[in-house]
Amino acid sequence: MTERRPGGQQFASDNYAGICPEALAYMNKVNAGHEPSYGDDYWTARACDLFREMFEAECEVFFVFNGTAGNALSMASLCQSYHGMICHRVAHVETDECGAPEFFSHGAKLLMVDGERGKMTPEGVHQVVTKRTDIHYPRPRVVSVTQATEVGTVYTPAELKAIHEAAQAHSLKLQMDGARFANAAAHLEAPPRAITVDVGVDVLCLGGSKNGLAIGEAVIFFDLAAAEEFAYRCKQAGQLAAKMRFIAAQWLGLLDNGAWLRYARHANACAALLEEKLKSIPEVEAVFPREANSVFVRMPDPVIASLREKGWRFYTFIGSGDARLMCSWDTEEASVEAFVDDLKAAIRERR
Ligand SMILES: *Cc1c(COP(=O)(O)O)cnc(C)c1O
């Protein structure tokens, strides 16, 4: 049995990866000298401008430390405490945020919708809204879509538009959990605007950590009125970074030269390669179509155990409960090969 060396690449999460060189370089760059704190600095303003260029839209941008804060605070900002927030049954906001959206909204309830391949449908939204309209049930107020979804699929612009139309018909706001927005945009080859502003997204939580940052997500309001008092919400929740320029700087590293898209494409391509190699192994069954940077597979339990003994880490609690193999901005082809080799060995050993 060979243990994998510390620091060896893994497929557990895109959060296992380090900081991309562009973001690191910018951290150094903004480190020189003194700058105003709490976001009143040149670099933060510059990053916000680059987001406006990226989305080709007027928008208000806020930085928070992680995705849970971004989702919970943005959803809460659209809700009263007696409202309902619609999401997919496997949505991160429901399964992996420890009740933060309910907590920060002071009681708004998540209302779950089913849908194949981790995607909500307009019918699902319509059903949950019309199921109950009496005073005893929370009044639906916001729809949260995850792009790319928790199971690695990607909503098309047409699918998003249809969800927005359903939301609009019931006067619901549209929030997007974009922890892997870059991977979705890369898969679709779509301009960011086409899968946000153009399909009625009111607020987007744009993931940075999984795209190559150390820390920091951007909360981007396209609905400017909804952004009005959001800064207070961030501060009260402990999400206002005193030295904000170091979050902004990392984003500048990703945005300045299109690194965000390049890295997302790379992660997706590695997942495609992994998927391709796994296809030829009869004991391994694909669970979801690979669209972004994850591959979900079903394998015999002894094979999973054997891979873990060999030092590989991966999650088996997400979505369908199968193995999720996640590629990141820095995944190397050699790591994909090493994993597949060990998987084949594990199958031979267990025969
Ligand atoms: C990673 C992730 C988040 C953010 O998680 P944090 O750990 O709070 O940064 C949000 N949504 C989805 C779908 C994610 O995968």
Side-chain angles (χ1 to χ4, degrees), residues 64-76 97 175 203-205 217-219 230 239:
V64 293
F65 293 107
N66 63 21
T68 299
N71 282 330
L73 294 175
S74 62
M75 288 167 80
E97 300 191 354
Q175 186 263 9
V203 54
L204 165 71
C205 295
E217 320 277 290
V219 182
F230 193 72
Q239 292 291 323

Side-chain angles (χ1 to χ4, degrees), residues 22 24 57 66 80 123 137 148 152 188 191 277 280:
E22 291 85 350
L24 259 186
N66 63 21
Q80 298 290 337
E123 296 74 36
Y137 197 71
L188 293 169
K277 287 183 182 289
S280 63

Side-chain angles (χ1 to χ4, degrees), residues 15 65-69 71 92-93 96-97 146 148-150 177 179-180 209-210 217 324:
N15 275 336
F65 293 107
N66 63 21
T68 299
N71 282 330
H92 195 273
V93 292
D96 290 282
E97 300 191 354
T146 312
T149 72
E150 287 73 6
D177 173 354
R180 298 191 181 87
S209 309
K210 288 167 181 153
E217 320 277 290
R324 185 192 76 169

Side-chain angles (χ1 to χ4, degrees), residues 60-207:
E60 288 291 335
V61 183
F62 303 84
F63 295 103
V64 293
F65 293 107
N66 63 21
T68 299
N71 282 330
L73 294 175
S74 62
M75 288 167 80
S77 76
L78 303 172
C79 282
Q80 298 290 337
S81 58
Y82 48 82
H83 280 146
M85 310 176 284
I86 300 171
C87 68
H88 192 277
R89 189 168 300 281
V90 301
H92 195 273
V93 292
E94 153 66 13
T95 62
D96 290 282
E97 300 191 354
C98 198
E102 296 95 324
F103 177 75
F104 281 106
S105 62
H106 293 252
K109 186 173 160 52
L110 286 172
L111 307 173
M112 283 173 278
V113 170
D114 290 305
E116 284 180 19
R117 300 172 172 186
K119 292 188 195 177
M120 270 189 300
T121 58
E123 296 74 36
V125 172
H126 179 72
Q127 269 168 21
V128 80
V129 178
T130 53
K131 189 176 71 171
R132 290 276 298 273
T133 52
D134 57 272
I135 196 82
H136 306 285
Y137 197 71
R139 183 165 187 204
R141 184 72 182 122
V142 48
V143 178
S144 173
V145 285
T146 312
Q147 177 78 316
T149 72
E150 287 73 6
V151 298
T153 53
V154 174
Y155 287 97
T156 64
E159 286 170 333
L160 291 171
K161 196 156 176 278
I163 288 172
H164 175 241
E165 276 162 14
Q168 222 177 13
H170 297 292
S171 304
L172 310 172
K173 294 281 187 184
L174 187 56
Q175 186 263 9
M176 180 176 276
D177 173 354
R180 298 191 181 87
F181 180 86
N183 303 93
H187 170 71
L188 293 169
E189 296 287 347
R193 189 191 156 93
I195 46 174
T196 53
V197 200
D198 289 349
V199 292
V201 172
D202 292 300
V203 54
L204 165 71
C205 295
L206 179 62

